[in-house]
Every structure is written in C-alpha cells, then in structure tokens.
Amino acid sequence: MRYRHDPESLRLPIKLDSTSNGEFVPIPLSRNETAVRRLALESATASARRLCLSRRDYLVSLCGAAATLLAFNTANAARGARGGHFELAGEAALDVDAASAQLGAREFIFDVQGHYVPPSQAEARRARCHAGHDFLSRDYMRCLGADDFIKDVFLDADTDMMVLSFVPSRRDDEPLTIEEAAATREIVERMDGSHRLLLHGRVNPNQPGDLEDMERLVNTYQVSAFKTYTQWGPGGRGYYLTDDIGIAFIERARALGVNNICIHKGIPLGRRSYAHSRCTDIGPIARRFPDVNFLIYHSGWVPGQAEGPWDPKRLEGVDGLINSLKAAGLGTGSNVYAELGSTWRYLSLRDPNSAAHTLGKLFIHLGADNVLWGTDSIWYGSPQDQIQAFRTFQISREYRERYGYPEITPALRAKVFGLNATRPYRITAEEVQRRAAGDAIARQRLAYREHPDPHFATRGPRTRREFLQLLRAQGGRIG
C-alpha cells in the first residue's frame, strides 16, 4: 500500500531523538544513542527483507516496534546499562503473533498529561505552517488541528482517556485558552458522548486575576483539576505551595469542590526560580491538606541528572520528592501521586538504569497505587511508542535483588497505565470502557487500523536553536 507519512521509511516506531516538551533545552543524542538508532534501522531493514516486506510495511507492524526495542536492548547491554530492559522474545521481530502477545495488550490507558495547541481558523495562518515545525513563527504548532490530535492520541495510540493540561503563561498570552480546550473536548464528546477528555484549569496564584478566575473555570468548564507551576510567575518569581498565596489557592480549590492539584515539579524553567522547582513544599502541604490530591508532574525529574538508588540527603529529582514526603511523615498510599510525563519518555529510551531506579523508587516509597501514566504528548507525537516501551520494560533481577524494587507485572502495569488515576479523578475504568466501546472514535480506530499510517514524528523542539526560537515565539513564557 502507499503511505502518506514517511514514505522513505527513515523514522523508527520507537522515536529515539532529542525532542523536548518545550520546557527544557533538548539534550542531543550521544554517540551511543545515535548508534542505537542506526542499529535499529539496520535490524528493521534486514528483518523486512526476510519477511519480503517493504521497510515501511515492516516498521508499521508490531514486529517493527519489537525489532526497535530489541536493538535498544542489544546496544544498552553492550555498554553495560543493564538496570532495565525491554522484555521481548527474539522471535517477536519476525513473528507478528509473538510481537502481538507482548506489545498488543489492551490495558485501560488514562493519560493524565496531554497537550494540544489548536489551529487558527484562518487559512492564512495555516498556510504559514510547514512540516509541523515553524519555530520562527508565533503560530508554532497551530497548524496541528483536532484531527491531528485525535489521530496521534486515539488512533495511532491505545489511549482511552486523556487530561488536557496547560503550560504556564500570562493571562493575555495563553497558547491554549480554556475556551479552546473546552471546544476541543466537545469535538470528542460529540462523538457519542464518550467523555474521553478531561480538562485542567491553569492557575498561577502569584499572578493577579488567577485566584479570582477559578470559580469561572469550575462553573463554566467543569475542570477536573487545577494545574500550577510553582517555579513560574510574573518577573520570573516563583512561589511555594506553603506560602500564603499557595495556601489560599488550595483553600479556594477545596471550596469550589476541586480536590486535584497538579503541580509541575522538576524540569526547571529557568534558574531564577530553581528552588521552587524542587519538591520541598510537597510533603508539608500534602500533610496539611489530607483531603486534597497532589499530582506531581514529572515526579521532580531534572533533565540531564541521572537517577540512582534512593539518596536520603538529595533535594533534587525523584529523591527530592521522596524525601519531602518522608520528612512530613507520609508513606505509601498517601494523597501524593507521581506522574511520568517526559520523565518516562526520556529515561526509558536513553538511560535504562535511571528508568529502573525511578520506577523502583516510586513503587517502594510512594506505593504501587500512586504512580500515574502521563506522556506530555502531542509534543512527542503519538504516545504509542511510550506505551509499548512501558508494556515491555522490566527492572533487572540484579536491581530487584540489590535495591528491593518490585518486578513489573501485568497487574502493576495496569495500575500505572490507568487504574491508579481513577481514584483521584473519581471515575471507573469499567464505565469509561463501556461508554467508549462503541463510540465514533472506537469505530474510527477499528477502520483506521486496517491500514494504519502513523507518522512516527515528534512535534517539539529538537535543538537548542529551535527551543530558543520557540521561547521567543511564546514571549519568553518558559524561562
């Protein structure tokens, strides 16, 4: 068949590249990572020939994803990175049934961190977009419409539900206003009312007008959570949730009946408020408000920093989150949840030792019920490769025995993929799946997958230059 996307078959189904989510400077691939990508493409080419398929036909199949992950295993083992691996049988690269048995599972997948910048209705603006990357324009990513979003998230990926989130911004300069987000949700809800999308309301309480606007967000848009960035604020000044303004924010949310507070922690947004990117305030504020759920986006992860065994003295990264909770006397199963957006994508594909430590530490110290699935897509294109990586990732026996990390079982995967998020969001997986089973997206997905055409492309900046251009286009909002 003819493919509209990637007809030269140069993109891998598991997207190993330097793309960031627009919140941190892209980290270039190392020489080893470039070699991994080359090895994966060579392996896919050889396997396609053995099966008498075109390389594109092969890469679109589950065998193509399996071959890519197996190539990652080979390269990681060769460089001594054995903390985690993708648990796949070798025959999965050549046998579609074997690949399907390991990559084709159907868990309930609830992605609690999705992003979407909607298109302008003006054709003139659309015409200025090219190839999905116009970093010189203020309209970057506005060439991506609702159809692109639905294709990435619901057709090319196994996602069942998503929460649309927000980036920090001035009130007069939001890349995705709540009105646009609500319109996007309505596009999906009109497809038989499946309620596949929930909304965040962006609140930066240190910005005039945001606290006052919370009631409108609840009454008009029925937001399911509030999203905040403690390291962001007018003039580059952040805040702590334990500050008076932070406490006022949480008390206002409780009064409005919204008990989910999503907080960006880690991925520093500029050095001026670096301290506010740490999780030091999470333990104290969670202890003070036990009836509020605190969802820690990125789990405190800092790009470029390796995650090792738990360090009780470390104030940064995942350890910073763990240590803040321990200091406040909060153990497993508390009202604090760790979310994996960008963190999982980066670590699983580029640093399997850190990926194993991150998951292992979160499972031990926050609990198997308190780790949430998030992908930060559509910055990374379709999240299917992140899903496939998690479906097969296993912490090594050596790490499990040395550090006490649990084995990642199908039951544990199912919790992380979606069941854990049903608790704070007060939904049931059964109800969602029942309503979605025959909706328009389910029917569209079934028809589409007869002849899938995934693009295997990422959407975010891939170089420092692109990142800085995006930053300038957004008025210096992230920084």
Side-chain angles (χ1 to χ4, degrees):
M1 65 171 289
R2 297 178 63 87
Y3 293 96
R4 184 165 65 92
H5 300 291
D6 190 27
E8 294 83 14
S9 306
L10 298 177
R11 301 176 193 154
L12 292 167
I14 310 297
K15 305 184 289 288
L16 177 59
D17 63 16
S18 60
T19 300
S20 87
N21 66 348
E23 294 176 340
F24 64 96
V25 177
I27 300 174
L29 294 182
S30 67
R31 183 177 299 177
N32 177 77
E33 289 157 351
T34 300
V36 170
R37 193 168 59 183
R38 183 172 59 251
L39 173 65
L41 192 60
E42 291 171 353
S43 174
T45 302
S47 295
R49 287 172 179 165
R50 287 185 62 182
L51 296 175
C52 298
L53 296 172
S54 72
R55 187 164 67 189
R56 176 64 176 165
D57 282 332
Y58 179 78
L59 289 172
V60 166
S61 74
L62 287 177
C63 289
T68 307
L69 292 170
L70 286 167
F72 289 0
N73 280 347
T74 299
N76 289 331
R79 66 185 176 97
R82 295 184 173 88
H85 61 278
F86 302 106
E87 207 165 44
L88 283 159
E91 58 265 26
L94 296 170
D95 185 326
V96 68
D97 290 333
S100 180
Q102 295 173 288
L103 289 170
R106 282 299 297 127
E107 310 86 352
F108 169 64
I109 297 180
F110 183 9
D111 188 336
V112 300
Q113 186 177 186
H115 292 275
Y116 169 52
V117 181
S120 166
Q121 298 304 307
E123 287 301 318
R125 177 177 287 175
R126 258 189 184 278
R128 289 198 299 270
C129 294
H130 58 87
H133 291 279
D134 187 1
F135 290 96
L136 297 176
S137 168
R138 193 176 183 80
D139 301 320
Y140 168 67
M141 286 185 76
R142 288 182 183 269
C143 51
L144 300 175
D147 288 343
D148 299 287
F149 175 82
I150 291 172
K151 182 179 187 298
D152 273 2
V153 173
F154 295 115
L155 302 187
D156 282 323
D158 293 333
T159 309
D160 293 297
M161 286 188 68
M162 178 175 271
V163 181
L164 273 181
S165 193
F166 296 85
V167 297
S169 61
R170 300 190 307 274
R171 294 183 61 78
D172 61 350
D173 186 32
E174 293 185 78
L176 177 63
T177 65
I178 191 69
E179 291 86 356
E180 291 170 322
T184 302
R185 182 177 66 180
E186 288 172 7
I187 291 172
V188 178
E189 289 191 344
R190 282 201 306 269
M191 298 178 179
D192 301 342
S194 62
H195 297 277
R196 288 180 181 266
L197 288 180
L198 302 179
L199 295 183
H200 280 165
R202 189 226 7 99
V203 178
N204 281 98
N206 52 345
Q207 173 172 232
D210 272 25
L211 285 179
E212 294 77 5
D213 199 39
M214 290 171 67
E215 185 172 5
R216 180 183 71 94
L217 297 179
V218 172
N219 293 338
T220 304
Y221 301 106
Q222 293 80 50
V223 298
S224 300
F226 290 113
K227 173 76 176 292
T228 192
Y229 287 69
T230 57
Q231 62 239 68
W232 188 90
R237 296 182 300 275
Y239 76 101
Y240 292 111
L241 289 167
T242 48
D243 291 345
D244 290 344
I245 193 68
I247 292 170
F249 162 44
I250 294 166
E251 289 179 337
R252 181 68 170 151
R254 293 169 74 228
L256 291 169
V258 177
N259 284 49
N260 292 327
I261 307 293
C262 302
I263 310 115
H264 175 111
K265 286 292 189 179
I267 308 187
L269 310 180
R271 303 297 300 187
R272 285 177 293 176
S273 286
Y274 184 81
H276 296 100
S277 73
R278 294 175 175 174
C279 297
T280 51
D281 52 341
I282 298 302
I285 201 69
R287 184 177 178 88
R288 177 166 179 165
F289 293 99
D291 60 331
V292 175
N293 301 308
F294 295 91
L295 284 59
I296 312 307
Y297 275 40
H298 315 296
S299 303
W301 169 69
V302 179
Q305 290 189 10
E307 288 289 339
W310 172 54
D311 180 351
K313 297 181 180 180
R314 187 178 177 222
L315 298 178
E316 296 177 310
V318 175
D319 289 338
L321 172 60
I322 293 169
N323 291 331
S324 179
L325 301 187
K326 286 185 174 294
L330 298 177
T332 59
S334 74
N335 56 330
V336 177
Y337 296 80
E339 185 271 346
L340 297 174
S342 283
T343 304
W344 169 250
R345 198 255 178 181
Y346 182 91
L347 295 180
S348 64
L349 301 185
R350 300 182 65 172
D351 187 356
N353 289 352
S354 288
H357 281 303
T358 294
L359 292 178
K361 289 187 294 188
L362 292 175
F363 290 145
I364 288 177
H365 297 289
L366 272 73
D369 296 329
N370 286 60
V371 181
L372 305 182
W373 181 249
T375 64
D376 243 342
S377 287
I378 60 173
W379 289 105
Y380 301 119
S382 173
Q384 184 68 357
D385 57 343
Q386 297 188 52
I387 292 170
Q388 291 171 330
F390 188 67
R391 272 184 179 147
T392 55
F393 189 81
Q394 186 58 262
I395 300 172
S396 70
R397 181 181 298 275
E398 176 189 348
Y399 272 34
R400 298 201 305 265
E401 293 176 352
R402 181 184 299 180
Y403 304 111
Y405 299 153
E407 179 182 6
I408 304 181
T409 63
L412 182 51
R413 293 184 213 281
K415 285 186 176 186
V416 174
F417 267 138
L419 298 181
N420 288 345
T422 63
R423 183 168 51 158
Y425 280 101
R426 299 176 183 175
I427 62 174
T428 68
E430 293 77 15
E431 174 66 10
V432 172
Q433 290 174 316
R434 183 187 66 78
R435 298 180 68 180
D439 73 357
I441 285 184
R443 295 193 297 272
Q444 189 177 352
R445 174 188 279 174
L446 186 64
Y448 169 79
R449 290 187 176 179
E450 290 294 319
H451 301 287
D453 189 14
H455 52 68
F456 297 151
T458 53
R459 309 288 197 184
R462 294 195 276 274
T463 66
R464 180 180 179 83
R465 179 174 179 269
E466 289 179 345
F467 173 80
L468 293 175
Q469 289 174 327
L470 175 59
L471 190 65
R472 285 193 294 269
Q474 294 175 328
R477 184 177 57 251
I478 310 286

